[in-house]
């Protein structure tokens, strides 16, 4: 039905011996503290094509190369320049950040969508804030022929990365430097040049945390009394993405509650008491929903002939939801069929914004 | 205690009349469908310094200029070139994306952290996939003196944006073009040039959705039987960021359960039965926790002298948690004091990765 965006790769685990050899050949490996102070940098790898089977060891998906079946070639100790530069068989992108690397990783992953099935290994180097911390990363990238992408706000460190990568013949790309430069000109003021991880936590941060807590506690109709406190109340039958949509919107600082519509179960009175312009209905095509429900049943090890997955039953449910939506013409109804939750979230926000704008306008837009 | 990252701006609402005038002066305003098809673009605005009071109308934070107290200057109709270009009093960044604009917004927000209190208005234009859709956005940016930042994968549209912004004298920045170019050279293959919003949903996407659902349902110790199915189980006293950390990790495709440690309440037997190398303890400094608890009580309208916020009580709780952690030396314990959840999440992932690596190594790293 759907084609996977990434190659379905099943990395074979190395044998214990291979792993041991690989480990031994890394003279630069060193023990790290569990709770390291802020200034210590470190790296974790994250694979574009993680092992599909979840039974695989925890977090192995972050540090296993896609083609890790063969042990890596022996590596000269960090700091010495090798006579020859053994290139990796598989491609690797080193993401170097002075904070958590979240933004950089997001951009790289977005760009990588344009190169499906590329089997590229992403390696994240976080809290890199000094030349001494950055140099070995560039050196390894040079040895392995990896591409380096960085988000660093210190002009000195940025300059160092530009110069050193040029000298070491490492392909490197500054992800945020031009933007900060443009912003500085546009806003006519200098940047503060402080890594975001070192900035004090903002009001916006705490509002977001609060929104996430509210939203998780108000999932699945569990707290109907929260409907009137919510910024958005999502309403729809089972498997219309209510939960993931709610948490995604919560990441933007919105308090979201959601309520499943269940055939034969009355909606709680709190729904009518909540501000009606904050309620959004979710709907989905009948056939896609039947497919999703059947897949869900298979996943749970249940028979696909359970009422939950039967077309007639699902149709009745959707009709029931439809009647509720028709009885509340002020609720916008968003069709989630075939949409990623990110797209549905944008549509919900736009819809509510337009509604708000229309409400505030004396005459409706023509 | 903490200084806010952004200016505490309280935008005054315009009067209904001002809003009406502003609306009437936009001859290009048009009605939009609630559930628009994928190819239709639209925009919503998102403010860097949203109104603090949540009582303000819903989603107004996305489309209210920080300095919206004064109505905007009358605008010539879209398409005609004005004789003079009236500049905005407040600065604006137009984010133009061929998909949801999520990545672009994230990068711009990260860069804006380097210019605190700048009161810049962000405006998001999503699903812009044609020159006809892009042109009016550039024209308005030219009129208003806004900065344009874009993430567009079509080479034709990207080229158009470069050329047209130059001709219209609009400051514009291509956020992803150089990266896609570099990747194309590095991977030695052409990009598919398809907006991510038009790509089929990936296995990774569905795994992430499933992880979020699992995590929300396993919050707050509600599903102890899920401990053994979880990738990570977070354990800690109240207000150690368990819930927001769990959902953040879930966004990365990890199934997370969390369990609050409550003084005098035994941990459920399922915790001992779960794989111990997936359990992570969370701790926090006594004084910061007392502060956070008292703030929480104030927020709930309760007395700060409630046991929940009393130093002696909080200390007893932390001691209790500490005894549990000591009884489980295999659990890493992460101190969340003063850390953003994004940073704590990275530390947790690194810690588990190191543990995994150490387990797989025949001899421990030196």
């Amino acid at each position: 039905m759907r084609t996977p965006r990434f190659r379905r790769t099943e990395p074979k685990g190395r044998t214990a011996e291979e792993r041991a050899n690989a480990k031994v050949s890394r003279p630069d490996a060193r023990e790290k503290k569990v709770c390291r102070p802020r200034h210590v940098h470190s790296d974790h790898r994250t694979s574009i094509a993680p092992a599909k089977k979840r039974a695989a060891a925890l977090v192995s998906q972050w540090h296993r190369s896609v083609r890790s079946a063969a042990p890596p070639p022996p590596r000269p100790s960090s700091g010495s320049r090798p006579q020859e530069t053994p290139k990796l068989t598989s491609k690797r992108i080193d993401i170097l950040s002075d904070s958590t690397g979240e933004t950089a990783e997001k951009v790289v992953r977005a760009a990588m969508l344009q190169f499906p099935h590329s089997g590229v290994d992403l390696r994240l180097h976080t809290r890199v804030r000094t030349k001494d911390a950055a140099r070995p990363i560039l050196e390894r990238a040079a040895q392995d022929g990896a591409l380096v992408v960085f988000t660093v706000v210190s002009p000195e460190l940025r300059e160092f990365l530009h110069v050193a990568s040029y000298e070491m013949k490492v392909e490197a790309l500054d992800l945020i430097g031009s933007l900060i430069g443009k912003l500085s000109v546009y806003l006519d003021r200098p940047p503060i040049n402080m890594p975001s991880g070192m900035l004090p936590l903002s009001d916006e941060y705490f509002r977001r945390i609060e929104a996430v807590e509210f939203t998780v506690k108000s999932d699945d109709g569990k707290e109907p009394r929260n409907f009137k406190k919510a910024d958005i109340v999502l309403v729809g039958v089972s498997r219309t993405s209510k939960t993931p949509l709610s948490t995604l919107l919560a990441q933007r600082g919105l308090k979201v509650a959601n309520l499943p519509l269940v055939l034969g179960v009355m909606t709680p009175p709190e729904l009518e008491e909540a501000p009606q312009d904050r309620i959004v209905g979710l709907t989905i095509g009948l056939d896609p929903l039947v497919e999703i429900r059947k897949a869900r049943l298979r996943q749970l090890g249940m028979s696909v002939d359970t009422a939950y997955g039967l077309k007639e039953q699902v149709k009745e449910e959707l009709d029931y939801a439809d009647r509720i939506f028709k009885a509340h013409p002020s609720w916008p109804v968003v069709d989630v069929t075939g949409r990623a939750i990110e797209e549905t979230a944008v549509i919900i926000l736009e819809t509510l914004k337009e509604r708000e704008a229309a409400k505030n306008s004396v005459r409706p837009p023509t």
Side-chain angles (χ1 to χ4, degrees), chain A:
Chain A
M1 189 184 58
R2 295 186 180 286
T3 55
R5 185 176 292 174
F6 298 123
R7 184 174 50 174
R8 294 162 186 262
T9 312
E10 297 281 352
K12 291 169 200 148
R14 305 185 215 169
T15 65
E17 197 185 8
E18 280 168 343
R19 274 190 301 263
N21 288 342
K23 193 84 198 173
V24 167
S25 71
R26 288 185 57 179
D28 51 333
R30 65 191 193 286
E31 203 170 31
K32 287 169 187 168
K33 278 182 290 182
V34 166
C35 304
R36 72 185 57 72
R38 281 186 160 218
H39 65 278
V40 177
H41 70 98
S42 56
D43 69 288
H44 70 271
R45 300 177 206 182
T46 162
S47 171
I48 279 282
K52 193 154 171 263
K53 287 204 177 146
R54 300 204 59 94
L58 175 62
V59 297
S60 63
Q61 52 187 304
W62 284 281
H63 64 100
R64 182 154 48 183
S65 162
V66 172
R67 296 180 194 165
S68 64
R75 203 151 34 180
S77 74
S78 172
S80 75
R81 295 298 303 271
Q83 291 302 305
E84 288 178 44
T85 53
K87 300 289 176 190
L88 284 179
T89 329
S90 76
K91 303 276 186 176
R92 190 182 79 214
I93 301 175
D94 282 308
I95 297 175
L96 192 158
S97 163
D98 55 18
S99 290
T100 64
E102 236 202 329
T103 304
E105 188 187 343
K106 183 135 191 143
V107 178
V108 171
R109 284 190 182 275
M112 286 305 301
L113 292 178
Q114 298 302 313
F115 304 91
H117 320 304
S118 57
V120 164
D121 197 23
L122 292 196
R123 194 181 295 183
L124 207 53
H125 306 267
T126 60
R127 286 168 290 169
V128 180
R129 290 172 189 166
T130 62
K131 294 177 190 178
D132 286 347
R135 196 175 290 109
I137 297 166
L138 289 182
E139 283 169 351
R140 279 190 218 167
Q143 287 164 21
D144 299 343
L147 177 67
V148 174
V149 168
F150 59 93
T151 47
V152 159
V153 299
S154 151
E156 292 75 31
L157 187 53
R158 214 151 63 206
E159 180 63 18
F160 169 79
L161 288 169
H162 279 292
V163 172
S165 63
Y166 179 80
E167 287 175 356
M168 295 186 198
K169 298 191 177 62
V170 174
E171 277 297 319
L173 185 67
D174 184 349
L175 266 193
I176 208 160
S178 331
L179 178 57
I180 290 177
K182 275 255 198 239
L183 283 173
S184 185
V185 171
Y186 179 67
L187 300 172
D188 192 22
R189 50 188 288 197
I192 55 171
N193 294 330
M194 195 182 289
S196 58
M198 294 175 74
L199 293 170
L201 300 176
S202 65
D203 282 4
E204 185 271 339
Y205 171 83
F206 289 106
R207 195 161 46 235
R208 189 157 50 87
I209 296 295
E210 198 192 325
V212 169
E213 288 173 343
F214 177 98
T215 299
V216 169
K217 275 160 193 48
S218 312
D219 183 53
D220 205 31
K222 278 197 299 277
E223 291 281 359
R225 61 190 176 155
N226 275 355
F227 290 167
K228 63 172 175 294
K229 297 183 216 158
D231 294 316
I232 299 180
V233 182
L234 299 177
V235 175
V237 303
S238 175
R239 299 280 106 193
T240 46
S241 315
K242 292 185 300 296
T243 299
L245 261 176
S246 297
T247 56
L248 186 71
L249 289 163
Q251 303 284 347
R252 309 195 58 143
L254 288 164
K255 293 179 173 174
V256 186
N258 73 65
L259 175 73
L261 294 179
V262 181
L263 195 59
V265 177
M266 288 271 287
T267 56
E270 287 88 347
L271 192 65
E272 307 298 330
E273 293 156 14
Q276 296 295 298
D277 56 355
R278 302 185 185 185
I279 302 177
V280 176
L282 298 176
T283 191
I284 184 170
L286 173 59
D287 289 330
L289 182 54
V290 170
E291 273 312 304
I292 292 171
R293 292 262 183 107
K294 284 194 193 297
R296 179 76 179 147
L297 286 170
R298 274 189 292 268
Q299 193 185 30
L300 295 171
M302 294 166 72
S303 162
V304 293
D305 292 334
T306 311
Y308 181 80
L310 288 183
K311 191 160 180 171
E312 307 79 63
Q313 161 80 13
V314 174
K315 186 174 184 316
E316 265 192 67
E317 278 185 55
L318 285 175
D319 288 347
Y320 172 66
D322 210 41
R323 284 197 298 278
I324 292 179
F325 295 154
K326 283 207 168 65
H328 298 86
S330 71
W331 303 354
V333 177
V334 177
D335 189 341
V336 304
T337 310
R339 287 201 167 101
I341 54 166
E342 288 78 8
E343 191 183 352
T344 309
V346 166
I347 294 173
I348 289 173
L349 294 175
E350 285 171 359
T351 305
L352 292 174
K353 182 204 75 173
E354 285 163 21
R355 191 150 291 212
E356 172 88 354
K359 207 174 64 182
N360 289 340
S361 170
V362 169
R363 63 179 203 191
T366 49

